[in-house]
């Protein structure tokens, strides 16, 4: 299904990035090479928007849903709080209420806030490596997201946009080490795509308690409903 295909692609990209064993410094390239996407910080947090159906909009549509992401590679953990009405909660986990995704190591746990149910989603590779972005392919330097200049990359059926900073020229990475992600696009409907709210972007660790699994996840939580996950 779409979820499994998307997560498998991310897993393949993460494996390539690990094999490359590159460091963030490698993100700065010369004009003789295509730019590479900037690795993520070791830890950060930021609000997200989803349920946006218009690619790279100039303004935020009324359909948008407010969400939040925390990431900390020292814990090999990522957490995403999806709000009520989020596409991922409805399409993959069968709830129109909020759901929380805990990426821990190589696993993904989905927690349904309204019922307290927790399940293990086996279609996910878990938390991505910080340099998973380096396996992407550069597309162009003349995109815009919410009217801001952006650099576009692709891998498989996924698209990714990050900031194009003021000192960058077409075909060069410029000060790419400081570029932040703008959009992560999934195949199919745009409602699943993630749009980072850079006004909330903060680099640095968050309390480890944020990544602790709810008690209902237990030692061996049930598998997420196969129909809901792969539909």
């Amino acid at each position: 299904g779409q979820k499994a295909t998307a997560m498998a692609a991310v897993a393949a990209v993460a494996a390539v990035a690990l094999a490359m064993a590159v460091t963030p410094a490698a993100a700065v390239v010369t004009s003789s090479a295509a730019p590479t996407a900037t690795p993520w910080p070791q830890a950060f947090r930021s609000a997200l928007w989803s349920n946006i159906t218009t690619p790279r909009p100039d303004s935020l549509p009324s359909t948008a849903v407010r969400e939040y992401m925390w990431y900390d590679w020292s814990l090999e953990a990522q957490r995403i709080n999806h709000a009520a009405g989020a596409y991922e909660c409805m399409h993959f986990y069968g709830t129109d209420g909020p759901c929380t995704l805990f990426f821990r190591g190589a696993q993904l746990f989905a927690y349904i806030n309204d019922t307290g149910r927790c399940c293990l989603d086996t279609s996910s590779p878990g938390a991505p490596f910080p340099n998973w972005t380096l396996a992407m392919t550069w597309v162009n330097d003349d995109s815009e997201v919410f009217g801001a200049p952006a650099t576009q990359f692709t891998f498989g059926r996924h698209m990714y946009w990050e900031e194009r900073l003021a000192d960058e020229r077409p075909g060069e990475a410029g000060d790419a080490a400081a570029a932040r992600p703008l959009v992560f696009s999934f195949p199919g409907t745009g409602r699943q795509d993630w749009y980072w709210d850079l006004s909330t972007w903060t680099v640095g660790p968050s309390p480890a308690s944020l990544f602790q699994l709810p008690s209902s996840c237990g030692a061996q939580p049930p598998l997420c409903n196969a129909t809901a996950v792969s539909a």
Side-chain angles (χ1 to χ4, degrees), residues 57-94:
D58 292 328
S59 60
L60 195 67
S62 60
T63 57
V65 173
R66 182 76 161 179
E67 310 184 329
Y68 212 92
M69 169 189 283
W70 295 264
Y71 176 84
D72 193 327
W73 183 243
S74 71
L75 303 173
E76 296 187 23
Q78 176 177 284
R79 171 176 172 166
I80 301 178
N81 284 10
H82 287 298
Y87 178 86
E88 291 205 35
C89 300
M90 298 174 66
H91 188 70
F92 301 124
Y93 306 114

Side-chain angles (χ1 to χ4, degrees), residues 219-230:
Q220 292 183 317
L223 298 181
C224 296
N225 183 286
T227 300
V229 171
S230 61

Side-chain angles (χ1 to χ4, degrees), residues 11-220:
V13 169
V16 171
L18 180 62
M20 292 169 65
V22 289
T23 63
V28 178
V29 299
T30 66
S31 58
S32 62
T36 53
T38 307
W40 283 5
Q42 293 290 310
F44 69 89
R45 57 190 180 275
S46 178
L48 299 171
W49 296 100
S50 71
N51 285 33
I52 299 174
T53 57
T54 302
R56 302 176 303 286
D58 292 328
S59 60
L60 195 67
S62 60
T63 57
V65 173
R66 182 76 161 179
E67 310 184 329
Y68 212 92
M69 169 189 283
W70 295 264
Y71 176 84
D72 193 327
W73 183 243
S74 71
L75 303 173
E76 296 187 23
Q78 176 177 284
R79 171 176 172 166
I80 301 178
N81 284 10
H82 287 298
Y87 178 86
E88 291 205 35
C89 300
M90 298 174 66
H91 188 70
F92 301 124
Y93 306 114
T95 177
D96 57 6
C99 69
T100 305
L101 304 185
F102 294 88
F103 300 76
R104 298 298 307 271
Q107 296 180 308
L108 167 58
F109 299 86
Y111 177 76
I112 311 304
N113 298 49
D114 290 345
T115 64
R117 180 175 65 89
C118 182
C119 61
L120 177 64
D121 186 344
T122 57
S123 71
S124 169
F129 301 101
N131 62 358
W132 71 279
T133 57
L134 294 177
M136 297 180 183
T137 300
W138 174 78
V139 176
N140 65 63
D141 287 298
D142 55 7
S143 293
E144 289 189 354
V145 177
F146 292 132
T151 302
Q152 181 181 353
F153 299 88
T154 184
F155 60 100
R157 298 171 61 202
H158 297 266
M159 303 300 294
Y160 185 85
W161 289 263
E162 68 175 28
E163 291 178 298
R164 180 165 57 83
L165 304 182
D167 64 343
E168 291 185 39
R169 296 183 297 277
E172 296 185 359
D175 187 17
R180 298 169 295 181
L182 293 170
V183 184
F184 179 83
S185 174
F186 292 84
T189 176
R191 292 175 58 202
Q192 189 179 354
D193 298 350
W194 301 345
Y195 289 75
W196 278 270
D197 179 356
L198 297 188
S199 69
T200 66
W201 176 271
T202 304
V203 175
S206 297
S209 59
L210 283 170
F211 303 99
Q212 292 179 355
L213 295 174
S215 58
S216 60
C217 292
Q220 292 183 317

